[in-house]
Amino acid sequence: MSDTALYFTAPETVDHRPVSVDPAADEVVVATDASAISAGTELLVYRDEAPDDLPVDENIEAFDDTFEYPLRYGYAAAGTVVETGSDVADEWLDRSVFAFRPHQTRFAADPDDLVPLPDGVSPAHGSLLPTVETATNLVLDSEPRLGESVVVFGAGVVGLCTTRLLSAFPLGELVVVEPIATRREAATAMGADRTLTPEAAAAEVGDCDLAVELSGEPAVLNDAIDAVGYDGRVVVGSWYGEKRAPIDLGGSFHRDRIELVSSQVSTIDPARRGRWDRKRRFDTAVEWLDRLDCERLISHRVPFSEAADAYELLDARDESVLQVVLTY
């Protein structure tokens, strides 16, 4: 069988290239059914806005070493085990599984690197697991507390998943700031008490306990800093890549003792590592997958053969686009 992988070959250019899938005796072969495209990190790779000298996440062995073209990328594949090596138990055959793998028709993997999907979870929904795990990490780093006022900037897929998780806490108020009306509606469905445009938020939001910046736009960090009061916290979950914007730290930032917290899913905060590890965090994300309205998050399904159209759709910033999933 001829197998194909998606390669990023130049700025705003992707290509399908043949790859060899040769499983070892202790591996299985997974036929991909769906893979989700990240509108954050992955779109930076597509636009050549990821720093070339920054190593790709070393926790995922399937990745190439750096963000230099050509490279395979993507980390949200769900599929079916179609072949087992001689040293693998036959019970793996026909299992629906998730893996941190680039976009590819089939791939070989150690069973220890696969996550069996719960019964009733479709591959398309299962491909959202990294997003839910990112949201889980954001909430852990945010440390929401009883009665606090929280504002989330950005209602993309990560912002919406984070909003859903935060809505389970006994907060004083949960506000989502987002310029696109359909995403504000989705944020309300995910549990936000109020949604505001950025213009309205500038006039109405202030003295909050916690702000979570998930817009992907570095200039919005100023809005997040302005939104919190004395001793407030700002958790930065966006990865801006090579995008730059002036950040105003010359106003009340120091006098108000505002805390800036970086949150990145590759690692767990050292303060929590005594009780939390990557497995516990991911298991928590799997449990929450059933509690999310995943279908609301998926706006487009695009055949793998037409992947170039999917990236163009995301790059155009069409307001109808939320989560794009490749189908196989």
Side-chain angles (χ1 to χ4, degrees), residues 243-316:
K243 292 188 289 185
R244 298 289 183 268
I247 305 301
D248 181 13
L249 302 181
S252 61
F253 173 75
H254 287 287
R255 289 189 176 183
D256 281 352
R257 302 186 65 86
I258 293 170
E259 180 182 7
L260 287 180
V261 179
S262 65
S263 180
Q264 215 287 327
V265 74
S266 295
T267 58
I268 291 174
D269 187 329
R272 268 173 284 283
R273 290 178 193 170
R275 296 292 304 164
W276 285 83
D277 57 16
R278 291 173 63 89
K279 182 182 185 304
R280 181 180 180 185
R281 186 182 64 188
F282 196 80
D283 288 347
T284 301
V286 172
E287 291 176 8
W288 269 95
L289 191 66
D290 278 340
R291 307 185 205 179
L292 289 166
D293 186 355
C294 292
E295 201 57 36
R296 176 181 283 276
L297 298 174
I298 299 173
S299 60
H300 293 76
R301 287 174 167 83
V302 178
F304 175 65
S305 60
E306 301 171 17
D309 295 338
Y311 288 97
E312 290 175 8
L313 186 68
L314 282 164
D315 195 40

Side-chain angles (χ1 to χ4, degrees), residues 40 81 114 121 128 160 185-186 253 271 281 287 302 318:
V81 176
L114 302 176
V121 173
L128 300 184
L160 290 172
E185 293 173 5
F253 173 75
R281 186 182 64 188
E287 291 176 8
V302 178
D318 188 303

